[in-house]
Amino acid sequence: MADMSLWPDTGLHVAVIMDGNGRWATQRGWPRLVGHRKGAERVRELVAASPKLGIRYLTLYAFSTENWKRSTEEVLGLMSLMGRYIRREASRMSDEGVRMRFIGDRSRLDPKLQRLFRWIEAQTAGNDRLHLTVAVNYGGRDEIMRATRTLAAQAAAGEIDPEAITAAQIDAALDTAPLPDPDLIVRTSGETRVSNFLLWQAAYAEYEFTPTLWPDFTPAHLAQILDRFDLRERRYGGVAL
Ligand code: FPP
């Protein structure tokens, strides 16, 4: 593990596709939800470790627009796990300077969970040490579609000129408007797909894929990935910086 104590705050934005909870549980003969529960513990550890790793923005893919196809038991279990996480971690997040946000289409979620999302967002709105964003009922295409509708409505109302729509206006219409683009996207469990995560925002992101299943993924694994990431030369389509 890298010596993290001397790391300056780089304002790094790391996004994670937390994959492999189901396989982790199934390999042990346990219900899939046990894997998700262990996964939520990993989330807690990673949130605590992120500032020490130089991460300012941590964005986690918790539930995709496609995940509704899972069994009702698993969907309800995941939703209640998120509710429990918010209630249990609220005071710790405030103590640790964590600002929590959610991206994705909340309108389909249980109104009680929506209220909890609004509550924790308001409760942590003054925090700035770590920006934790959780993607729930999130899909990159769905997000772009909703942003397009917003811009089209503004154009129809004469508020913006459709001929002059800029990338910055598109950024501002996305769920991620308050966040910088991700620098690094990590996917666990050996899958090497993008899976509809941050499609617009990932234009210049680096990707790292690790075979480790999410319930086994520790801050030490992320520290190793960040060591490799630091060695990469990022060109943003131009010359090396
Ligand atoms: C993917 O593994 C993981 C998910 C769909 C859920 C991720 C949710 C958590 C880690 C817990 C809740 C999150 C927070 C922020 C408290 P999978 O089930 O697709 O695994 P598999 O590919 O092995 O089946």
Side-chain angles (χ1 to χ4, degrees):
M1 191 160 166
D3 173 11
M4 301 173 301
S5 54
L6 300 174
W7 285 20
D9 184 352
T10 53
L12 206 59
H13 183 174
V14 175
V16 186
I17 302 176
M18 309 181 289
D19 200 5
N21 294 352
R23 269 164 288 167
W24 184 90
T26 306
Q27 281 169 8
R28 288 160 175 79
W30 295 335
R32 295 173 57 83
L33 269 172
V34 177
H36 296 315
R37 223 173 290 147
K38 182 74 183 172
E41 281 175 37
R42 293 304 187 196
V43 169
R44 184 160 42 78
E45 286 170 15
L46 199 58
V47 168
S50 285
K52 293 171 233 158
L53 292 168
I55 296 168
R56 187 82 181 276
Y57 298 88
L58 179 67
T59 300
L60 304 174
Y61 206 175
F63 193 92
S64 76
T65 45
E66 286 72 41
N67 284 154
W68 296 104
K69 294 181 202 137
R70 298 189 176 202
S71 72
T72 309
E73 186 195 5
E74 188 171 348
V75 169
L76 291 179
L78 276 167
M79 296 298 168
S80 93
L81 201 53
M82 275 180 279
R84 211 175 320 149
Y85 186 91
I86 295 168
R87 286 191 297 269
R88 283 196 185 165
E89 296 301 311
S91 70
R92 197 197 315 258
M93 287 195 281
S94 293
D95 290 348
E96 294 179 353
V98 178
R99 179 168 187 173
M100 193 178 202
R101 294 185 178 93
F102 292 88
I103 55 172
D105 181 0
R106 320 173 175 199
S107 63
R108 203 174 152 186
L109 306 179
D110 179 346
K112 251 193 194 152
L113 191 60
Q114 293 184 40
R115 278 199 294 278
L116 206 50
F117 282 9
R118 281 198 300 273
W119 174 76
I120 194 71
E121 283 177 335
Q123 194 76 10
T124 62
N127 300 339
D128 190 37
R129 184 160 167 257
L130 177 71
H131 293 251
L132 170 65
T133 303
V134 180
V136 182
N137 191 24
Y138 175 87
R141 285 187 171 182
D142 181 72
E143 181 192 34
I144 291 168
M145 186 184 72
R146 288 184 286 106
T148 304
R149 286 183 186 147
T150 302
L151 292 172
Q154 288 170 359
E159 292 161 14
I160 58 171
D161 174 4
E163 295 291 324
I165 290 175
T166 62
Q169 282 172 319
I170 296 174
D171 277 335
L174 293 170
D175 298 347
T176 51
L179 311 174
D181 283 346
D183 300 291
L184 172 67
I185 299 181
V186 176
R187 182 171 191 154
T188 58
S189 93
E191 307 290 346
T192 49
R193 291 186 295 278
V194 172
S195 293
N196 207 6
F197 190 42
L198 303 175
L199 296 180
W200 166 272
Q201 301 87 337
Y204 296 104
E206 301 279 337
Y207 282 90
E208 278 278 348
F209 300 97
T210 168
T212 307
L213 303 177
W214 176 254
D216 290 326
F217 190 84
T218 62
H221 287 104
L222 185 58
Q224 275 171 10
I225 288 174
L226 289 173
D227 283 349
R228 274 203 300 281
F229 171 76
D230 284 343
L231 296 174
R232 291 190 188 188
E233 218 176 54
R234 301 185 72 202
R235 294 173 187 269
Y236 300 94
V239 292
L241 297 174

